[in-house]
Amino acid sequence: MAQSRGAAPAGWEARILAQLEQREVRVATVAKVIQSYTRLAGKVGEFANHSRDAEARSREVQGEHERLLTSYGRNGGGVGAGGGRGMSLAQQRIADLERDIEGLKEERTLLYRTQGTNAQRLLDLSDKMRDTDERLRQQELEIMDAHEALRRSNAKIDDLRATLKEKDGTIQILQDEMSALQLEIVQIEDRGRRLQSENDDLVKRWMQKMNAEAEKINTVTEELELIKRKSAALSPRMGPAVFEDDQFFGAQPPLTGVSAQHGASLAPRNAVGKIDARMEEVHSIAISSSGELLAVGGQSTTVKVFDAETGEGVFSLTGCLKAVNHVEISTDNTMLLAASSDHTARIWRLDTGRHLKSLTGHIGSIMVAKFNHDASRVFTYSQDRTIKVWDTQRGLCIKTLFMESSCHDFTLLDSAGSRIATAHVNNAVRIWDTASGKRVREATLHKEQVMSVWASATGTRILTNSYDGTLKLVSTDTLDVITVMSAPGYRPSRNWARASLSPDERYAMAGSIDGRLFVWDVNSGDLVRTLDIHKSAVCDALWHPTGMRVYSAEKS
């Protein structure tokens, strides 16, 4: 195969060229041997002809010698001087002929010896020729194989070139399609940005409208309360008002309960009682700081309150139009807060069961609602991706925090609620400053969604629970992981999977989708106990304020 000047041949081409050059060298060597053989055969022929000529000449000399002898005998040896001279000449002639015969014999012997040597050399050359012919035949076979391989390689190269050409055409088509798709994506992104801008504007206008409507409702509520107070003041028969805001919110003394200082908590060993909430689904439970009341919210529109000791029903709180997603009891045990899918959070008075406030302003289902320590503020999270801060006494929204991603749960990090931690579906945990509405720090702590977050009493640590099957104790100052907890078979239920710390923060507890309850040692991360006490997914698990009992709820 011809190669362009300066271009290095491919590997297989170089090997074939080398084999061809070696074959040419071997052929040249064999040609020289054949030429030597031909010259040797010619010399052998010349020696043979010379030998035949010498033999013929010897026979002629012998014949002439015999004739001379015959002639000498017939003439009687000759007479006189003439006869003597003839005899001398004949004898001399015979002697000359005999010398010639001897020389010819020696020459014939030398020719025979040379002929034998040449014959041996000819045999050696014949053997060498046969070996050379065999090697040439093998090399010709190898060359034929190389030519066949070269032919197949050329055919394969042609096929590959054809395939490459076809692929080049396909790549060009794909590149053209990709360019068209990229152009279309750019156009779609432009439309998406325009739609997002329009959507943000619509949401902003909607929020303004809803806030205005909430403000109107709150104004009407305040006017009604004012009218009630004026009416009560003007009517001596009605006596003093049963309910005054300044007496209830923050001024009402807390119910008698256990002290804030608790002893060491105990890990649960077995179930000691069962409360039938009589609900299709349970979503959340809450226990009062006194440990006397247990509140349950679920698929029913009613919040049910039970005696935490006996399990007997105390009363039911009505007013929600849809399912209750979360319940919370204020620290002073005077109020109960419920978050509902009807976009409203409601507050009831626990001693009378009277409905106090409806917090409206969200445009999505409210999933979590919590009091701050003195119950002067309420914090709510909705599926509209906002956390709202409410003035409890007035029932007005005083701050709105916008979340970048959907949130499952949040917790307050101090008594006033100036900082909160949120658990997100994009595996992140975020710390927020509620006064400025800005995110303070963020970290991706889990491989899957973070289902719940629980703050320690001091707010310096939080407990996270993720759908990846791990719980983590995290520092709120740096969001560094302190302890990782997991267990074989532990898998939380999606959407409803809250974990909690014991009052002395020694243990962490969470329920699994298979109905088991898991308890870990917070300091070591070791699994302490597993309780198989439920038949369906555990949605919530709380410690009694004394740390001596736990309450867990299954979803179904």
Side-chain angles (χ1 to χ4, degrees), residues 74-100:
R74 196 171 41 246
N75 292 328
V79 181
R85 286 192 300 273
M87 183 62 183
S88 296
L89 291 173
Q91 288 177 349
Q92 186 176 357
R93 178 62 175 168
I94 288 170
D96 292 338
L97 290 175
E98 287 178 351
R99 283 193 299 273
D100 290 340

mmCIF file of all heavy atoms in Angstrom, residues 74-100:
data_model
loop_
_atom_site.group_PDB
_atom_site.id
_atom_site.type_symbol
_atom_site.label_atom_id
_atom_site.label_comp_id
_atom_site.label_asym_id
_atom_site.label_seq_id
_atom_site.Cartn_x
_atom_site.Cartn_y
_atom_site.Cartn_z
ATOM 1 N N ARG A 74 55.091 -55.645 -39.607
ATOM 2 C CA ARG A 74 54.903 -56.102 -40.979
ATOM 3 C C ARG A 74 56.144 -55.801 -41.799
ATOM 4 O O ARG A 74 56.513 -56.564 -42.714
ATOM 5 C CB ARG A 74 53.662 -55.372 -41.562
ATOM 6 C CG ARG A 74 53.185 -56.072 -42.828
ATOM 7 C CD ARG A 74 51.846 -55.519 -43.304
ATOM 8 N NE ARG A 74 51.710 -54.119 -43.206
ATOM 9 C CZ ARG A 74 50.849 -53.510 -42.379
ATOM 10 N NH1 ARG A 74 50.099 -54.253 -41.592
ATOM 11 N NH2 ARG A 74 50.812 -52.192 -42.347
ATOM 12 N N ASN A 75 56.828 -54.756 -41.510
ATOM 13 C CA ASN A 75 58.013 -54.409 -42.285
ATOM 14 C C ASN A 75 59.265 -55.114 -41.762
ATOM 15 O O ASN A 75 60.388 -54.894 -42.261
ATOM 16 C CB ASN A 75 58.246 -52.884 -42.244
ATOM 17 C CG ASN A 75 57.127 -52.161 -43.029
ATOM 18 O OD1 ASN A 75 56.610 -52.725 -44.000
ATOM 19 N ND2 ASN A 75 56.851 -50.942 -42.594
ATOM 20 N N GLY A 76 59.120 -55.958 -40.718
ATOM 21 C CA GLY A 76 60.247 -56.747 -40.233
ATOM 22 C C GLY A 76 61.244 -55.904 -39.487
ATOM 23 O O GLY A 76 62.426 -56.235 -39.454
ATOM 24 N N GLY A 77 60.769 -54.924 -38.990
ATOM 25 C CA GLY A 77 61.677 -54.099 -38.195
ATOM 26 C C GLY A 77 62.499 -53.179 -39.049
ATOM 27 O O GLY A 77 63.300 -52.438 -38.560
ATOM 28 N N GLY A 78 62.397 -53.239 -40.370
ATOM 29 C CA GLY A 78 63.150 -52.340 -41.251
ATOM 30 C C GLY A 78 64.546 -52.890 -41.559
ATOM 31 O O GLY A 78 65.108 -53.692 -40.858
ATOM 32 N N VAL A 79 65.205 -52.501 -42.683
ATOM 33 C CA VAL A 79 66.501 -52.990 -43.111
ATOM 34 C C VAL A 79 67.363 -51.800 -43.385
ATOM 35 O O VAL A 79 66.946 -50.868 -44.084
ATOM 36 C CB VAL A 79 66.399 -53.846 -44.385
ATOM 37 C CG1 VAL A 79 67.781 -54.368 -44.804
ATOM 38 C CG2 VAL A 79 65.484 -54.998 -44.126
ATOM 39 N N GLY A 80 68.553 -51.894 -42.906
ATOM 40 C CA GLY A 80 69.548 -50.863 -43.198
ATOM 41 C C GLY A 80 69.262 -49.609 -42.415
ATOM 42 O O GLY A 80 68.533 -49.553 -41.441
ATOM 43 N N ALA A 81 69.935 -48.634 -42.987
ATOM 44 C CA ALA A 81 69.861 -47.348 -42.278
ATOM 45 C C ALA A 81 68.484 -46.744 -42.331
ATOM 46 O O ALA A 81 67.976 -46.165 -41.392
ATOM 47 C CB ALA A 81 70.911 -46.373 -42.884
ATOM 48 N N GLY A 82 67.822 -46.953 -43.443
ATOM 49 C CA GLY A 82 66.441 -46.403 -43.589
ATOM 50 C C GLY A 82 65.526 -47.037 -42.597
ATOM 51 O O GLY A 82 64.694 -46.393 -41.974
ATOM 52 N N GLY A 83 65.718 -48.364 -42.452
ATOM 53 C CA GLY A 83 64.854 -49.048 -41.481
ATOM 54 C C GLY A 83 65.156 -48.588 -40.075
ATOM 55 O O GLY A 83 64.277 -48.493 -39.241
ATOM 56 N N GLY A 84 66.415 -48.357 -39.721
ATOM 57 C CA GLY A 84 66.774 -47.915 -38.370
ATOM 58 C C GLY A 84 66.179 -46.554 -38.049
ATOM 59 O O GLY A 84 65.704 -46.301 -36.953
ATOM 60 N N ARG A 85 66.235 -45.656 -38.980
ATOM 61 C CA ARG A 85 65.681 -44.316 -38.739
ATOM 62 C C ARG A 85 64.193 -44.379 -38.574
ATOM 63 O O ARG A 85 63.598 -43.729 -37.713
ATOM 64 C CB ARG A 85 66.045 -43.374 -39.928
ATOM 65 C CG ARG A 85 67.517 -42.964 -39.917
ATOM 66 C CD ARG A 85 67.717 -41.837 -40.893
ATOM 67 N NE ARG A 85 67.342 -42.234 -42.253
ATOM 68 C CZ ARG A 85 68.204 -42.829 -43.100
ATOM 69 N NH1 ARG A 85 69.437 -43.081 -42.760
ATOM 70 N NH2 ARG A 85 67.808 -43.154 -44.340
ATOM 71 N N GLY A 86 63.552 -45.250 -39.390
ATOM 72 C CA GLY A 86 62.081 -45.385 -39.269
ATOM 73 C C GLY A 86 61.719 -45.945 -37.911
ATOM 74 O O GLY A 86 60.727 -45.523 -37.296
ATOM 75 N N MET A 87 62.566 -46.877 -37.464
ATOM 76 C CA MET A 87 62.268 -47.473 -36.164
ATOM 77 C C MET A 87 62.430 -46.446 -35.074
ATOM 78 O O MET A 87 61.617 -46.370 -34.144
ATOM 79 C CB MET A 87 63.213 -48.671 -35.930
ATOM 80 C CG MET A 87 62.939 -49.400 -34.632
ATOM 81 S SD MET A 87 61.291 -50.083 -34.616
ATOM 82 C CE MET A 87 61.309 -50.763 -32.951
ATOM 83 N N SER A 88 63.378 -45.652 -35.115
ATOM 84 C CA SER A 88 63.615 -44.627 -34.082
ATOM 85 C C SER A 88 62.485 -43.625 -34.046
ATOM 86 O O SER A 88 61.995 -43.239 -32.980
ATOM 87 C CB SER A 88 64.954 -43.910 -34.347
ATOM 88 O OG SER A 88 66.014 -44.823 -34.240
ATOM 89 N N LEU A 89 62.092 -43.235 -35.206
ATOM 90 C CA LEU A 89 60.991 -42.267 -35.272
ATOM 91 C C LEU A 89 59.719 -42.874 -34.711
ATOM 92 O O LEU A 89 58.961 -42.224 -33.975
ATOM 93 C CB LEU A 89 60.765 -41.804 -36.723
ATOM 94 C CG LEU A 89 61.877 -40.934 -37.310
ATOM 95 C CD1 LEU A 89 61.633 -40.675 -38.809
ATOM 96 C CD2 LEU A 89 61.978 -39.620 -36.577
ATOM 97 N N ALA A 90 59.501 -44.122 -35.036
ATOM 98 C CA ALA A 90 58.269 -44.774 -34.555
ATOM 99 C C ALA A 90 58.302 -44.909 -33.045
ATOM 100 O O ALA A 90 57.303 -44.669 -32.347
ATOM 101 C CB ALA A 90 58.111 -46.142 -35.231
ATOM 102 N N GLN A 91 59.502 -45.343 -32.539
ATOM 103 C CA GLN A 91 59.587 -45.509 -31.087
ATOM 104 C C GLN A 91 59.420 -44.174 -30.376
ATOM 105 O O GLN A 91 58.780 -44.066 -29.322
ATOM 106 C CB GLN A 91 60.936 -46.137 -30.726
ATOM 107 C CG GLN A 91 61.016 -47.598 -31.120
ATOM 108 C CD GLN A 91 62.384 -48.187 -30.819
ATOM 109 O OE1 GLN A 91 63.343 -47.458 -30.498
ATOM 110 N NE2 GLN A 91 62.501 -49.531 -30.942
ATOM 111 N N GLN A 92 60.013 -43.162 -30.957
ATOM 112 C CA GLN A 92 59.869 -41.830 -30.344
ATOM 113 C C GLN A 92 58.416 -41.377 -30.366
ATOM 114 O O GLN A 92 57.894 -40.805 -29.411
ATOM 115 C CB GLN A 92 60.764 -40.812 -31.078
ATOM 116 C CG GLN A 92 60.764 -39.465 -30.391
ATOM 117 C CD GLN A 92 61.734 -38.486 -31.071
ATOM 118 O OE1 GLN A 92 62.443 -38.867 -32.038
ATOM 119 N NE2 GLN A 92 61.795 -37.274 -30.548
ATOM 120 N N ARG A 93 57.826 -41.715 -31.544
ATOM 121 C CA ARG A 93 56.410 -41.327 -31.663
ATOM 122 C C ARG A 93 55.571 -42.080 -30.654
ATOM 123 O O ARG A 93 54.671 -41.524 -30.009
ATOM 124 C CB ARG A 93 55.919 -41.628 -33.090
ATOM 125 C CG ARG A 93 54.464 -41.313 -33.327
ATOM 126 C CD ARG A 93 54.189 -39.864 -33.143
ATOM 127 N NE ARG A 93 52.800 -39.524 -33.494
ATOM 128 C CZ ARG A 93 52.240 -38.386 -33.211
ATOM 129 N NH1 ARG A 93 52.965 -37.467 -32.555
ATOM 130 N NH2 ARG A 93 50.995 -38.152 -33.571
ATOM 131 N N ILE A 94 55.898 -43.357 -30.440
ATOM 132 C CA ILE A 94 55.140 -44.173 -29.477
ATOM 133 C C ILE A 94 55.361 -43.641 -28.077
ATOM 134 O O ILE A 94 54.436 -43.542 -27.268
ATOM 135 C CB ILE A 94 55.576 -45.644 -29.587
ATOM 136 C CG1 ILE A 94 55.041 -46.234 -30.904
ATOM 137 C CG2 ILE A 94 55.044 -46.471 -28.411
ATOM 138 C CD1 ILE A 94 55.610 -47.610 -31.219
ATOM 139 N N ALA A 95 56.588 -43.273 -27.786
ATOM 140 C CA ALA A 95 56.876 -42.734 -26.451
ATOM 141 C C ALA A 95 56.101 -41.450 -26.213
ATOM 142 O O ALA A 95 55.540 -41.211 -25.128
ATOM 143 C CB ALA A 95 58.398 -42.516 -26.297
ATOM 144 N N ASP A 96 56.105 -40.622 -27.249
ATOM 145 C CA ASP A 96 55.329 -39.371 -27.115
ATOM 146 C C ASP A 96 53.867 -39.657 -26.877
ATOM 147 O O ASP A 96 53.210 -39.015 -26.026
ATOM 148 C CB ASP A 96 55.516 -38.510 -28.366
ATOM 149 C CG ASP A 96 56.939 -37.975 -28.496
ATOM 150 O OD1 ASP A 96 57.630 -37.916 -27.438
ATOM 151 O OD2 ASP A 96 57.318 -37.575 -29.607
ATOM 152 N N LEU A 97 53.366 -40.633 -27.638
ATOM 153 C CA LEU A 97 51.941 -40.963 -27.477
ATOM 154 C C LEU A 97 51.669 -41.536 -26.098
ATOM 155 O O LEU A 97 50.636 -41.246 -25.479
ATOM 156 C CB LEU A 97 51.520 -41.961 -28.572
ATOM 157 C CG LEU A 97 51.455 -41.383 -30.001
ATOM 158 C CD1 LEU A 97 51.146 -42.475 -31.020
ATOM 159 C CD2 LEU A 97 50.388 -40.299 -30.090
ATOM 160 N N GLU A 98 52.587 -42.376 -25.598
ATOM 161 C CA GLU A 98 52.390 -42.950 -24.264
ATOM 162 C C GLU A 98 52.391 -41.863 -23.203
ATOM 163 O O GLU A 98 51.617 -41.883 -22.237
ATOM 164 C CB GLU A 98 53.479 -43.989 -23.983
ATOM 165 C CG GLU A 98 53.283 -45.264 -24.775
ATOM 166 C CD GLU A 98 54.396 -46.276 -24.527
ATOM 167 O OE1 GLU A 98 55.402 -45.876 -23.868
ATOM 168 O OE2 GLU A 98 54.233 -47.431 -24.942
ATOM 169 N N ARG A 99 53.330 -40.867 -23.386
ATOM 170 C CA ARG A 99 53.316 -39.752 -22.417
ATOM 171 C C ARG A 99 51.998 -38.969 -22.492
ATOM 172 O O ARG A 99 51.444 -38.576 -21.461
ATOM 173 C CB ARG A 99 54.508 -38.813 -22.715
ATOM 174 C CG ARG A 99 55.820 -39.387 -22.200
ATOM 175 C CD ARG A 99 56.877 -38.301 -22.219
ATOM 176 N NE ARG A 99 57.129 -37.779 -23.551
ATOM 177 C CZ ARG A 99 57.992 -38.291 -24.415
ATOM 178 N NH1 ARG A 99 58.737 -39.356 -24.111
ATOM 179 N NH2 ARG A 99 58.165 -37.737 -25.615
ATOM 180 N N ASP A 100 51.591 -38.802 -23.777
ATOM 181 C CA ASP A 100 50.301 -38.097 -23.917
ATOM 182 C C ASP A 100 49.177 -38.887 -23.250
ATOM 183 O O ASP A 100 48.287 -38.316 -22.601
ATOM 184 C CB ASP A 100 49.979 -37.872 -25.391
ATOM 185 C CG ASP A 100 50.914 -36.834 -26.030
ATOM 186 O OD1 ASP A 100 51.519 -36.046 -25.246
ATOM 187 O OD2 ASP A 100 50.992 -36.782 -27.267
#
